[in-house]
Amino acid sequence: QVTLKESGPGILQPSQTLSLTCSFSGFLLSASSVGVGWIRQPSGKGLEWLATIGWEDVKHYNPSLKSRLTISKDTSNNQVFLKITSVDTADTGTYYCAHTLGYWGQGVMVTVSS
Amino acid sequence: DIVMTQGALPNPVPSGESASITCQSSKSLLYSDGKTYLNWYLQRPGQSPQLLIYWMSTRASGVSDRFSGSGSGTDFTLKISRVEAEDVGVYYCQQFLEFPLTFGSGTKLEIK
């Protein structure tokens, strides 16, 4: 059974760096064609894809945020990470990680506030 | 970037009736392997999105056969037959042909 679970700081201040962790089970990120991505959703709004990392460590980023994003993985511990630098209030929302085959985590709420 | 445009529903939809949600892509999602790289998701209130349909017309595991996907390379339809209370939520189409992955803005389904 594939499961994913996101974790994060909950609240942080503008200009700080947001660090998110996706812990997963039921699949291996070292397996061929497997990938994990991050998607976010401001409250009451739509979905925005942020980044994806593949089994071969190839990384793809949303061009509109690329300079602020870093995705990485720890294959041995079944985790994927996302860092977003210089956050502001527009980064407030729910952050999801998802397997490329369509399995999503429950999401983690992040609030950026001074 | 591929732009995904979704249509609206004439809400609320009477229970037991059918509903069709449209989605249009700015570029053909039909690849040379013969597959169309389009997903449909349902996000129920307070939940994360659930995959309903992938490759435009293949139902995900455990998804009711009341859901069906169809279309061409750029125009797609998700049909929900005999709508039920559990179908309430926001439906998203998403292309996974190329990066950046992009979603439609969502279509809300309400039931009467």
Side-chain angles (χ1 to χ4, degrees), chain B residues 85-99:
Chain B
E86 67 176 22
D87 302 334
V88 164
V90 179
Y91 292 79
Y92 294 94
C93 58
Q94 179 221 359
Q95 66 82 17
F96 61 108
L97 177 69
E98 62 185 41
F99 291 101

Side-chain angles (χ1 to χ4, degrees), chain A residues 39 41 45-49 52 60-63 96 99-102 104-107, chain B residues 1 39 41 43 47-51 54 61 92 94 96 99-105:
Chain A
I39 304 99
Q41 183 173 39
K45 297 190 177 180
L47 302 166
E48 178 182 35
W49 171 78
T52 295
H60 297 274
Y61 294 102
N62 187 318
Y96 299 98
H99 186 293
T100 47
L101 289 181
W104 290 52
Q106 63 190 22
Chain B
D1 300 3
N39 288 332
Y41 287 92
Q43 186 174 32
Q47 296 185 17
S48 57
Q50 170 198 358
L51 181 66
Y54 58 95
S61 176
Y92 294 94
Q94 179 221 359
F96 61 108
F99 291 101
L101 306 180
T102 48
F103 293 87
S105 58

Side-chain angles (χ1 to χ4, degrees), chain B residues 32-101:
Chain B
S32 55
D33 61 4
K35 295 176 181 175
T36 302
Y37 283 65
L38 179 93
N39 288 332
W40 285 101
Y41 287 92
L42 164 60
Q43 186 174 32
R44 296 186 173 97
Q47 296 185 17
S48 57
Q50 170 198 358
L51 181 66
L52 298 175
I53 303 284
Y54 58 95
W55 287 330
M56 186 179 72
S57 60
T58 303
R59 267 189 304 276
S61 176
V63 173
S64 169
D65 60 5
R66 296 186 299 104
F67 292 90
S68 61
S70 63
S72 63
T74 58
D75 293 275
F76 313 99
T77 301
L78 175 70
K79 182 178 179 181
I80 312 166
S81 302
R82 306 180 305 280
V83 297
E84 302 176 355
E86 67 176 22
D87 302 334
V88 164
V90 179
Y91 292 79
Y92 294 94
C93 58
Q94 179 221 359
Q95 66 82 17
F96 61 108
L97 177 69
E98 62 185 41
F99 291 101
L101 306 180

Side-chain angles (χ1 to χ4, degrees), chain A residues 45-107:
Chain A
K45 297 190 177 180
L47 302 166
E48 178 182 35
W49 171 78
L50 299 175
T52 295
I53 188 165
W55 63 281
E56 73 279 53
D57 209 35
V58 173
K59 300 162 188 175
H60 297 274
Y61 294 102
N62 187 318
S64 66
L65 292 159
K66 184 174 182 178
S67 64
R68 299 173 52 212
L69 301 177
T70 303
I71 192 170
S72 59
K73 62 183 173 72
D74 180 348
T75 303
S76 56
N77 286 307
N78 290 344
Q79 292 181 316
V80 171
F81 311 99
L82 182 72
K83 289 189 187 298
I84 306 178
T85 60
S86 304
V87 297
D88 67 12
T89 54
D91 296 308
T92 292
T94 300
Y95 286 74
Y96 299 98
C97 63
H99 186 293
T100 47
L101 289 181
Y103 302 96
W104 290 52
Q106 63 190 22

Side-chain angles (χ1 to χ4, degrees), chain B residues 5-8 20-24 40 76-78 93 107:
Chain B
T5 303
Q6 290 187 231
S20 291
I21 300 170
T22 60
C23 173
Q24 191 171 54
W40 285 101
F76 313 99
T77 301
L78 175 70
C93 58
T107 300

